Amino acid sequence: MSSTPPSPSLSTTTQNPPTPKPSSPPVPFLPSQAARIYSFAHPFLLLGLLGLRFDKLVADPVTELLNDLPFLALLQVGYVMTCLPPAGSGYAHGHGHSHKAVGETGGSGDSAGEEKRKTNPVVRAGKAGYRRRQQKGEAGGFSVKLIPALLSLTLIFLLATPVLSILLVLFGAPLTTHNFETVLCAAHMAVLSTTALIYVHGVDGAVWKEVWGIARPSDGVWGGALGTCVGAWFGAVPIPLDWDRPWQAYPITILTGAYIGFAVGSLIGRASFLYGKRIEFTPEELGIEKKVD
């Protein structure tokens, strides 16, 4: 009597997909009073300077753009050093959520720690002193902020300006004429949009993938960069219209739109109803077809 050998059992193993790397949190502004005030005043200061110099910009765009570029770079460096944490300080990425509550929405921190401080006065005093020392260290000294700021300007003029010049040509800027206007317009846009991005994120590849993929969580830094690009896009609309106005000449309206977009984006990006949110694309928008089992 022969017995059939038992058939080998088929074990089904399910493999979990790899966990994606968590996105870096939005960048909060520094909690100092000077940072709070100047972070709101800076966009209006840029718009005011643009308005004061607008007639000269229309009369001689190349000379005015060249003369205004050092002042714009100085203002942007002062802005990032006063209001933003430098790359590598741990303030932007390591403490983003806790300072979001303090710096953006006015919250009080985590409830467990607050309850502990209430029940133990000694711990409360020690924690307060530690927090003040920690914030002071995170804010850093002048040299800690100046080096990333100068590095940001170097990368802007070496990398961002040529890239934006090529993009302007690809989007319709003259190729054989107005070359100085194109390069200077790209330089102004680069200083507006990428100074703060490089200052707070450095050359972190994961963050820059989110930047190019329009996947960064909303904050004042990302809002200013995105607003600059969107504003320049809309600023190109009046150029081909037959109004015969002197301010329609290339690249005046593009640059004006970039300045306005930076101001609006940097203010709206840090608003409570947008802070920390991101643009999400559906699979249909990305052109990905759902697999049917």
Side-chain angles (χ1 to χ4, degrees):
M1 183 177 181
S2 62
S3 60
T4 58
S7 60
S9 60
L10 298 177
S11 61
T12 59
T13 60
T14 58
Q15 296 181 353
N16 295 326
T19 304
K21 181 180 178 181
S23 172
S24 58
V27 179
F29 285 88
L30 295 175
S32 66
Q33 190 68 18
R36 292 173 184 269
I37 295 174
Y38 191 64
S39 64
F40 286 104
H42 180 74
F44 296 102
L45 179 61
L46 289 180
L47 292 180
L49 291 177
L50 176 65
L52 290 175
R53 309 290 294 182
F54 189 77
D55 291 339
K56 293 184 178 181
L57 179 64
V58 174
D60 190 355
V62 173
T63 302
E64 188 61 28
L65 288 176
L66 189 59
N67 292 338
D68 289 347
L69 188 58
F71 294 101
L72 174 62
L74 184 62
L75 286 173
Q76 288 294 91
V77 166
Y79 167 65
V80 298
M81 291 179 62
T82 303
C83 303
L84 298 171
S89 64
Y91 188 93
H93 296 164
H95 302 82
H97 295 292
S98 63
H99 283 282
K100 173 187 171 184
V102 175
E104 301 296 335
T105 60
S108 59
D110 88 293
S111 57
E114 186 67 24
E115 185 65 26
K116 186 176 180 180
R117 287 191 295 271
K118 288 180 180 179
T119 57
N120 192 340
V122 177
V123 174
R124 181 179 181 183
K127 285 290 185 179
Y130 170 75
R131 182 169 297 177
R132 284 194 297 269
R133 292 193 301 269
Q134 186 184 42
Q135 290 178 357
K136 182 179 179 181
E138 286 169 342
F142 180 79
S143 61
V144 174
K145 297 180 179 181
L146 182 61
I147 293 175
L150 295 179
L151 203 53
S152 300
L153 289 180
T154 302
L155 293 176
I156 283 168
F157 291 117
L158 290 180
L159 297 177
T161 298
V163 169
L164 284 176
S165 299
I166 295 173
L167 289 177
L168 285 173
V169 172
L170 292 177
F171 279 98
L175 178 60
T176 57
T177 61
H178 298 79
N179 294 324
F180 287 112
E181 288 89 339
T182 298
V183 172
L184 289 172
C185 180
H188 276 252
M189 290 178 58
V191 173
L192 284 172
S193 60
T194 60
T195 303
L197 280 174
I198 299 175
Y199 181 80
V200 299
H201 297 304
V203 291
D204 188 345
V207 173
W208 285 98
K209 285 180 181 179
E210 292 180 346
V211 170
W212 288 108
I214 318 179
R216 283 291 305 153
S218 176
D219 53 38
V221 174
W222 172 234
L226 187 60
T228 300
C229 299
V230 174
W233 176 282
F234 282 104
V237 172
I239 294 179
L241 301 179
D242 56 349
W243 294 344
D244 297 327
R245 303 293 183 183
W247 50 263
Q248 287 181 260
Y250 171 81
I252 297 172
T253 57
I254 294 177
L255 199 65
T256 303
Y259 271 79
I260 295 174
F262 172 83
V264 175
S266 61
L267 292 175
I268 292 181
R270 60 183 298 189
S272 58
F273 62 90
L274 282 180
Y275 185 81
K277 295 181 174 61
R278 69 182 70 237
I279 301 174
E280 294 184 356
F281 298 97
T282 62
E284 290 78 9
E285 291 172 331
L286 294 174
I288 301 175
E289 296 181 358
K290 295 182 179 179
K291 294 182 180 180
V292 180
D293 296 335

